[in-house]
Amino acid sequence: MIFSPATLLAIVRSHLPAAASGRLCVAFSGGLDSTVLLAALAQGVRDDSSYTLRAIHIDHDLHADSSRWSQHCAAVAQRLGVDYVSRTVSVARDAGAGLEAAARDARYAALREHLRPGDVLLSAHHADDQFETLLLALLRGAGLAGLAAMPVSREFHPGWHLRPLLDFTRSALEDWATSQQLVWIADPSNDSRRFDRNFLRQDVIPLMRSRWPAASQSAARSASHVGEGLALMDEQAQTDLATASAGPCLRVDVLSGLSVARRRNLLRYWTRLRGARAPSTRKLLALEHDMLVAQEDRLPVTQWDGFEVRRFRGLLYAESTREWSADAAAPVAWDWSRPMTLPDQLGVLCAQDVRGSGLSRALLSSTLRVEFRHGGEVIRPAGQRHHRSLKKLLQDADILPWWRSRLPLLWMGDQLVAVGDLWTADEFAAREDDEGVQVIWQGRPPIQAQPQVP
């Protein structure tokens, strides 16, 4: 396929979702690929009022010349008559996933912030990039999601992300850029072979292309075929999920009745829906074993990449891992006239004035002590005749076991006044027409078990 602005615009039109606006936003690094994308689109939409075009440059602040690159990008956008904005991001140099991945995550987070609902982000990934991505996926033993490489179009909240250059090789883009006398930036980090992608680009792929000239295009077709297969597997997972789901949870009995392939497919799909990276093969095997084989009275947990899956009463629960820090156990004085942020992202405690309910304002001191469970606590809930152990109350209320030690307890001296916004002690409860204070636990995590499936 010969590259031209008309061909590019036709690709963009064919892949734009029906709900997309005509607002096109190019991720503009100033390199060859994104310069070609921006310049060709500027030509293609010049006489088409249904589209608007702007460029966003992300400065990772990882190179001494990064500010000069930003200035270059601004100058290019000005010459093309394209609106332009630059944003500097902070990249965690010691990130566990590596500097390249950290830069990518920071870049996409910044790009997302600049999109409005319906906007379309366009990036300049081309056929050679796709080939590199596919080879890297093969070398790390990726599943179908990895082998599908980069899709042409995907949702990218609050809009979409489009890669319209995947049918073109870098040489085709460079030929067009030369014919248009375009000027672009050469990032010296692209020459460093310590990055796997650069090693493939400079040493491996040229050798492969000398034997198979169309290797990049063939690999792109294969990735597309894998993507179609993955879409079919997702459709099967959606069908299985309709039977296996119990709210946000999965039923262990239904999982156990599926074939191995369908069960693993559903687990991958469900964990992605819950916001996790798909588990590795090793973690998936551990997940299957822990959740399906462990005895009924056990509470198994499988963790990976800041995510965890737990089993309770025949259901699987999935959520982000929350590390319980040592500081969280320390008592904290709460001036309940002001909101208090709980530790470890547990939410915020607030107090709201009410009448005839909640805690009696007249019985409260100006501050309460907030602690977490140590064991042995008792309380007489408002309206009840007898004291009960907090342990039994939590069990009867179906509070998930791993959350029971993380509920904020409100104390006055040695008296338990309230348990979050779940129970108020009868001794401190406001009576009819009393001025009361209602404890509100904002951002409370999902602490209660899902109803058991018959």
Side-chain angles (χ1 to χ4, degrees), residues 308-331:
E308 62 186 28
V309 174
R310 295 177 182 267
R311 190 190 71 188
F312 181 61
R313 293 180 181 171
L315 296 179
L316 299 190
Y317 293 78
E319 57 191 40
S320 297
T321 302
R322 301 184 190 223
E323 296 295 338
W324 194 233
S325 66
D327 293 341

PDB file of all heavy atoms in Angstrom, residues 308-331:
ATOM      1  N   GLU A 308      -5.305  -9.023  43.750  1.00  0.00           N
ATOM      2  CA  GLU A 308      -5.468 -10.284  44.462  1.00  0.00           C
ATOM      3  C   GLU A 308      -6.852 -10.874  44.222  1.00  0.00           C
ATOM      4  O   GLU A 308      -7.829 -10.155  44.000  1.00  0.00           O
ATOM      5  CB  GLU A 308      -5.250 -10.100  45.967  1.00  0.00           C
ATOM      6  CG  GLU A 308      -6.230  -9.166  46.646  1.00  0.00           C
ATOM      7  CD  GLU A 308      -5.854  -8.912  48.109  1.00  0.00           C
ATOM      8  OE1 GLU A 308      -4.659  -8.996  48.442  1.00  0.00           O
ATOM      9  OE2 GLU A 308      -6.770  -8.631  48.903  1.00  0.00           O
ATOM     10  N   VAL A 309      -6.909 -12.195  44.248  1.00  0.00           N
ATOM     11  CA  VAL A 309      -8.165 -12.945  44.159  1.00  0.00           C
ATOM     12  C   VAL A 309      -8.280 -13.789  45.423  1.00  0.00           C
ATOM     13  O   VAL A 309      -7.314 -14.454  45.823  1.00  0.00           O
ATOM     14  CB  VAL A 309      -8.203 -13.841  42.905  1.00  0.00           C
ATOM     15  CG1 VAL A 309      -9.448 -14.727  42.915  1.00  0.00           C
ATOM     16  CG2 VAL A 309      -8.178 -12.985  41.642  1.00  0.00           C
ATOM     17  N   ARG A 310      -9.448 -13.739  46.058  1.00  0.00           N
ATOM     18  CA  ARG A 310      -9.698 -14.507  47.275  1.00  0.00           C
ATOM     19  C   ARG A 310     -10.970 -15.339  47.094  1.00  0.00           C
ATOM     20  O   ARG A 310     -11.837 -15.003  46.279  1.00  0.00           O
ATOM     21  CB  ARG A 310      -9.879 -13.577  48.481  1.00  0.00           C
ATOM     22  CG  ARG A 310      -8.634 -12.788  48.847  1.00  0.00           C
ATOM     23  CD  ARG A 310      -8.929 -11.852  50.007  1.00  0.00           C
ATOM     24  NE  ARG A 310      -7.795 -11.025  50.392  1.00  0.00           N
ATOM     25  CZ  ARG A 310      -6.922 -11.329  51.336  1.00  0.00           C
ATOM     26  NH1 ARG A 310      -7.048 -12.470  52.011  1.00  0.00           N
ATOM     27  NH2 ARG A 310      -5.932 -10.520  51.631  1.00  0.00           N
ATOM     28  N   ARG A 311     -11.063 -16.414  47.896  1.00  0.00           N
ATOM     29  CA  ARG A 311     -12.260 -17.264  47.872  1.00  0.00           C
ATOM     30  C   ARG A 311     -12.946 -17.214  49.231  1.00  0.00           C
ATOM     31  O   ARG A 311     -12.301 -17.270  50.281  1.00  0.00           O
ATOM     32  CB  ARG A 311     -11.876 -18.707  47.557  1.00  0.00           C
ATOM     33  CG  ARG A 311     -13.094 -19.606  47.286  1.00  0.00           C
ATOM     34  CD  ARG A 311     -12.695 -21.059  47.230  1.00  0.00           C
ATOM     35  NE  ARG A 311     -12.342 -21.573  48.563  1.00  0.00           N
ATOM     36  CZ  ARG A 311     -11.803 -22.764  48.783  1.00  0.00           C
ATOM     37  NH1 ARG A 311     -11.504 -23.549  47.754  1.00  0.00           N
ATOM     38  NH2 ARG A 311     -11.519 -23.161  50.013  1.00  0.00           N
ATOM     39  N   PHE A 312     -14.273 -17.091  49.195  1.00  0.00           N
ATOM     40  CA  PHE A 312     -15.068 -17.111  50.430  1.00  0.00           C
ATOM     41  C   PHE A 312     -16.457 -17.629  50.102  1.00  0.00           C
ATOM     42  O   PHE A 312     -17.138 -17.107  49.218  1.00  0.00           O
ATOM     43  CB  PHE A 312     -15.145 -15.700  51.024  1.00  0.00           C
ATOM     44  CG  PHE A 312     -15.916 -15.613  52.309  1.00  0.00           C
ATOM     45  CD1 PHE A 312     -15.520 -16.322  53.432  1.00  0.00           C
ATOM     46  CD2 PHE A 312     -17.057 -14.816  52.403  1.00  0.00           C
ATOM     47  CE1 PHE A 312     -16.226 -16.236  54.623  1.00  0.00           C
ATOM     48  CE2 PHE A 312     -17.774 -14.714  53.583  1.00  0.00           C
ATOM     49  CZ  PHE A 312     -17.351 -15.431  54.702  1.00  0.00           C
ATOM     50  N   ARG A 313     -16.871 -18.667  50.809  1.00  0.00           N
ATOM     51  CA  ARG A 313     -18.195 -19.263  50.654  1.00  0.00           C
ATOM     52  C   ARG A 313     -18.542 -19.552  49.200  1.00  0.00           C
ATOM     53  O   ARG A 313     -19.623 -19.241  48.710  1.00  0.00           O
ATOM     54  CB  ARG A 313     -19.262 -18.339  51.252  1.00  0.00           C
ATOM     55  CG  ARG A 313     -19.168 -18.205  52.770  1.00  0.00           C
ATOM     56  CD  ARG A 313     -20.254 -17.289  53.286  1.00  0.00           C
ATOM     57  NE  ARG A 313     -20.169 -17.134  54.737  1.00  0.00           N
ATOM     58  CZ  ARG A 313     -20.891 -16.242  55.426  1.00  0.00           C
ATOM     59  NH1 ARG A 313     -21.751 -15.454  54.785  1.00  0.00           N
ATOM     60  NH2 ARG A 313     -20.761 -16.150  56.732  1.00  0.00           N
ATOM     61  N   GLY A 314     -17.613 -20.155  48.502  1.00  0.00           N
ATOM     62  CA  GLY A 314     -17.887 -20.611  47.144  1.00  0.00           C
ATOM     63  C   GLY A 314     -17.833 -19.532  46.087  1.00  0.00           C
ATOM     64  O   GLY A 314     -18.209 -19.789  44.937  1.00  0.00           O
ATOM     65  N   LEU A 315     -17.351 -18.350  46.433  1.00  0.00           N
ATOM     66  CA  LEU A 315     -17.256 -17.256  45.457  1.00  0.00           C
ATOM     67  C   LEU A 315     -15.833 -16.724  45.423  1.00  0.00           C
ATOM     68  O   LEU A 315     -15.129 -16.722  46.431  1.00  0.00           O
ATOM     69  CB  LEU A 315     -18.209 -16.113  45.818  1.00  0.00           C
ATOM     70  CG  LEU A 315     -19.705 -16.403  45.793  1.00  0.00           C
ATOM     71  CD1 LEU A 315     -20.493 -15.161  46.213  1.00  0.00           C
ATOM     72  CD2 LEU A 315     -20.155 -16.873  44.415  1.00  0.00           C
ATOM     73  N   LEU A 316     -15.426 -16.257  44.241  1.00  0.00           N
ATOM     74  CA  LEU A 316     -14.132 -15.601  44.086  1.00  0.00           C
ATOM     75  C   LEU A 316     -14.328 -14.091  44.091  1.00  0.00           C
ATOM     76  O   LEU A 316     -15.211 -13.565  43.406  1.00  0.00           O
ATOM     77  CB  LEU A 316     -13.459 -16.017  42.778  1.00  0.00           C
ATOM     78  CG  LEU A 316     -13.139 -17.498  42.591  1.00  0.00           C
ATOM     79  CD1 LEU A 316     -12.259 -17.684  41.356  1.00  0.00           C
ATOM     80  CD2 LEU A 316     -12.454 -18.089  43.816  1.00  0.00           C
ATOM     81  N   TYR A 317     -13.496 -13.412  44.854  1.00  0.00           N
ATOM     82  CA  TYR A 317     -13.503 -11.952  44.948  1.00  0.00           C
ATOM     83  C   TYR A 317     -12.187 -11.428  44.379  1.00  0.00           C
ATOM     84  O   TYR A 317     -11.121 -12.002  44.653  1.00  0.00           O
ATOM     85  CB  TYR A 317     -13.637 -11.500  46.402  1.00  0.00           C
ATOM     86  CG  TYR A 317     -14.967 -11.826  47.035  1.00  0.00           C
ATOM     87  CD1 TYR A 317     -15.244 -13.117  47.483  1.00  0.00           C
ATOM     88  CD2 TYR A 317     -15.945 -10.848  47.178  1.00  0.00           C
ATOM     89  CE1 TYR A 317     -16.466 -13.428  48.060  1.00  0.00           C
ATOM     90  CE2 TYR A 317     -17.175 -11.138  47.764  1.00  0.00           C
ATOM     91  CZ  TYR A 317     -17.428 -12.426  48.200  1.00  0.00           C
ATOM     92  OH  TYR A 317     -18.637 -12.722  48.765  1.00  0.00           O
ATOM     93  N   ALA A 318     -12.245 -10.358  43.621  1.00  0.00           N
ATOM     94  CA  ALA A 318     -11.046  -9.777  43.028  1.00  0.00           C
ATOM     95  C   ALA A 318     -10.999  -8.290  43.335  1.00  0.00           C
ATOM     96  O   ALA A 318     -12.004  -7.584  43.179  1.00  0.00           O
ATOM     97  CB  ALA A 318     -11.043  -9.997  41.518  1.00  0.00           C
ATOM     98  N   GLU A 319      -9.850  -7.822  43.765  1.00  0.00           N
ATOM     99  CA  GLU A 319      -9.704  -6.402  44.076  1.00  0.00           C
ATOM    100  C   GLU A 319      -8.225  -6.051  44.127  1.00  0.00           C
ATOM    101  O   GLU A 319      -7.362  -6.939  44.151  1.00  0.00           O
ATOM    102  CB  GLU A 319     -10.358  -6.066  45.416  1.00  0.00           C
ATOM    103  CG  GLU A 319      -9.819  -6.866  46.582  1.00  0.00           C
ATOM    104  CD  GLU A 319     -10.662  -6.695  47.839  1.00  0.00           C
ATOM    105  OE1 GLU A 319     -11.901  -6.656  47.750  1.00  0.00           O
ATOM    106  OE2 GLU A 319     -10.048  -6.605  48.912  1.00  0.00           O
ATOM    107  N   SER A 320      -7.933  -4.755  44.146  1.00  0.00           N
ATOM    108  CA  SER A 320      -6.552  -4.304  44.269  1.00  0.00           C
ATOM    109  C   SER A 320      -6.014  -4.702  45.638  1.00  0.00           C
ATOM    110  O   SER A 320      -6.732  -4.676  46.637  1.00  0.00           O
ATOM    111  CB  SER A 320      -6.466  -2.784  44.104  1.00  0.00           C
ATOM    112  OG  SER A 320      -6.890  -2.398  42.819  1.00  0.00           O
ATOM    113  N   THR A 321      -4.746  -5.055  45.667  1.00  0.00           N
ATOM    114  CA  THR A 321      -4.101  -5.400  46.928  1.00  0.00           C
ATOM    115  C   THR A 321      -3.904  -4.144  47.762  1.00  0.00           C
ATOM    116  O   THR A 321      -3.434  -3.128  47.263  1.00  0.00           O
ATOM    117  CB  THR A 321      -2.726  -6.046  46.670  1.00  0.00           C
ATOM    118  OG1 THR A 321      -2.916  -7.206  45.858  1.00  0.00           O
ATOM    119  CG2 THR A 321      -2.064  -6.448  47.978  1.00  0.00           C
ATOM    120  N   ARG A 322      -4.295  -4.215  49.023  1.00  0.00           N
ATOM    121  CA  ARG A 322      -4.087  -3.096  49.934  1.00  0.00           C
ATOM    122  C   ARG A 322      -3.161  -3.572  51.039  1.00  0.00           C
ATOM    123  O   ARG A 322      -3.552  -4.384  51.871  1.00  0.00           O
ATOM    124  CB  ARG A 322      -5.408  -2.612  50.520  1.00  0.00           C
ATOM    125  CG  ARG A 322      -6.407  -2.157  49.451  1.00  0.00           C
ATOM    126  CD  ARG A 322      -7.657  -1.602  50.088  1.00  0.00           C
ATOM    127  NE  ARG A 322      -8.690  -1.380  49.096  1.00  0.00           N
ATOM    128  CZ  ARG A 322      -9.455  -0.295  49.049  1.00  0.00           C
ATOM    129  NH1 ARG A 322      -9.291   0.650  49.931  1.00  0.00           N
ATOM    130  NH2 ARG A 322     -10.382  -0.165  48.119  1.00  0.00           N
ATOM    131  N   GLU A 323      -1.956  -3.081  51.007  1.00  0.00           N
ATOM    132  CA  GLU A 323      -0.981  -3.481  52.010  1.00  0.00           C
ATOM    133  C   GLU A 323      -1.321  -2.801  53.336  1.00  0.00           C
ATOM    134  O   GLU A 323      -1.467  -1.579  53.403  1.00  0.00           O
ATOM    135  CB  GLU A 323       0.433  -3.100  51.570  1.00  0.00           C
ATOM    136  CG  GLU A 323       0.895  -3.824  50.300  1.00  0.00           C
ATOM    137  CD  GLU A 323       1.018  -5.320  50.497  1.00  0.00           C
ATOM    138  OE1 GLU A 323       1.153  -5.758  51.662  1.00  0.00           O
ATOM    139  OE2 GLU A 323       0.980  -6.053  49.489  1.00  0.00           O
ATOM    140  N   TRP A 324      -1.465  -3.581  54.370  1.00  0.00           N
ATOM    141  CA  TRP A 324      -1.833  -3.070  55.691  1.00  0.00           C
ATOM    142  C   TRP A 324      -0.563  -2.619  56.388  1.00  0.00           C
ATOM    143  O   TRP A 324       0.205  -3.425  56.892  1.00  0.00           O
ATOM    144  CB  TRP A 324      -2.549  -4.165  56.465  1.00  0.00           C
ATOM    145  CG  TRP A 324      -3.273  -3.735  57.697  1.00  0.00           C
ATOM    146  CD1 TRP A 324      -3.124  -4.270  58.944  1.00  0.00           C
ATOM    147  CD2 TRP A 324      -4.263  -2.736  57.826  1.00  0.00           C
ATOM    148  NE1 TRP A 324      -3.963  -3.648  59.824  1.00  0.00           N
ATOM    149  CE2 TRP A 324      -4.686  -2.695  59.163  1.00  0.00           C
ATOM    150  CE3 TRP A 324      -4.846  -1.834  56.927  1.00  0.00           C
ATOM    151  CZ2 TRP A 324      -5.647  -1.818  59.645  1.00  0.00           C
ATOM    152  CZ3 TRP A 324      -5.802  -0.949  57.388  1.00  0.00           C
ATOM    153  CH2 TRP A 324      -6.196  -0.950  58.734  1.00  0.00           C
ATOM    154  N   SER A 325      -0.304  -1.306  56.407  1.00  0.00           N
ATOM    155  CA  SER A 325       0.942  -0.788  56.955  1.00  0.00           C
ATOM    156  C   SER A 325       0.931  -0.823  58.480  1.00  0.00           C
ATOM    157  O   SER A 325      -0.113  -0.804  59.120  1.00  0.00           O
ATOM    158  CB  SER A 325       1.164   0.649  56.477  1.00  0.00           C
ATOM    159  OG  SER A 325       0.177   1.511  57.006  1.00  0.00           O
ATOM    160  N   ALA A 326       2.124  -0.834  59.046  1.00  0.00           N
ATOM    161  CA  ALA A 326       2.250  -0.856  60.509  1.00  0.00           C
ATOM    162  C   ALA A 326       1.673   0.418  61.127  1.00  0.00           C
ATOM    163  O   ALA A 326       1.110   0.391  62.222  1.00  0.00           O
ATOM    164  CB  ALA A 326       3.715  -1.011  60.891  1.00  0.00           C
ATOM    165  N   ASP A 327       1.767   1.536  60.420  1.00  0.00           N
ATOM    166  CA  ASP A 327       1.263   2.802  60.949  1.00  0.00           C
ATOM    167  C   ASP A 327      -0.255   2.777  61.113  1.00  0.00           C
ATOM    168  O   ASP A 327      -0.805   3.523  61.931  1.00  0.00           O
ATOM    169  CB  ASP A 327       1.641   3.959  60.017  1.00  0.00           C
ATOM    170  CG  ASP A 327       3.141   4.202  59.998  1.00  0.00           C
ATOM    171  OD1 ASP A 327       3.815   3.752  60.946  1.00  0.00           O
ATOM    172  OD2 ASP A 327       3.623   4.832  59.042  1.00  0.00           O
ATOM    173  N   ALA A 328      -0.931   1.919  60.331  1.00  0.00           N
ATOM    174  CA  ALA A 328      -2.395   1.899  60.389  1.00  0.00           C
ATOM    175  C   ALA A 328      -2.895   1.409  61.742  1.00  0.00           C
ATOM    176  O   ALA A 328      -4.016   1.724  62.141  1.00  0.00           O
ATOM    177  CB  ALA A 328      -2.946   1.008  59.281  1.00  0.00           C
ATOM    178  N   ALA A 329      -2.092   0.637  62.447  1.00  0.00           N
ATOM    179  CA  ALA A 329      -2.530   0.074  63.726  1.00  0.00           C
ATOM    180  C   ALA A 329      -2.478   1.097  64.858  1.00  0.00           C
ATOM    181  O   ALA A 329      -3.066   0.875  65.921  1.00  0.00           O
ATOM    182  CB  ALA A 329      -1.666  -1.127  64.089  1.00  0.00           C
ATOM    183  N   ALA A 330      -1.819   2.224  64.652  1.00  0.00           N
ATOM    184  CA  ALA A 330      -1.665   3.220  65.718  1.00  0.00           C
ATOM    185  C   ALA A 330      -2.970   3.982  65.930  1.00  0.00           C
ATOM    186  O   ALA A 330      -3.611   4.398  64.962  1.00  0.00           O
ATOM    187  CB  ALA A 330      -0.546   4.184  65.359  1.00  0.00           C
ATOM    188  N   PRO A 331      -3.402   4.178  67.186  1.00  0.00           N
ATOM    189  CA  PRO A 331      -4.616   4.954  67.465  1.00  0.00           C
ATOM    190  C   PRO A 331      -4.455   6.399  66.981  1.00  0.00           C
ATOM    191  O   PRO A 331      -3.359   6.970  67.033  1.00  0.00           O
ATOM    192  CB  PRO A 331      -4.746   4.902  68.987  1.00  0.00           C
ATOM    193  CG  PRO A 331      -3.893   3.743  69.411  1.00  0.00           C
ATOM    194  CD  PRO A 331      -2.784   3.661  68.424  1.00  0.00           C
TER     195      PRO A 331
END
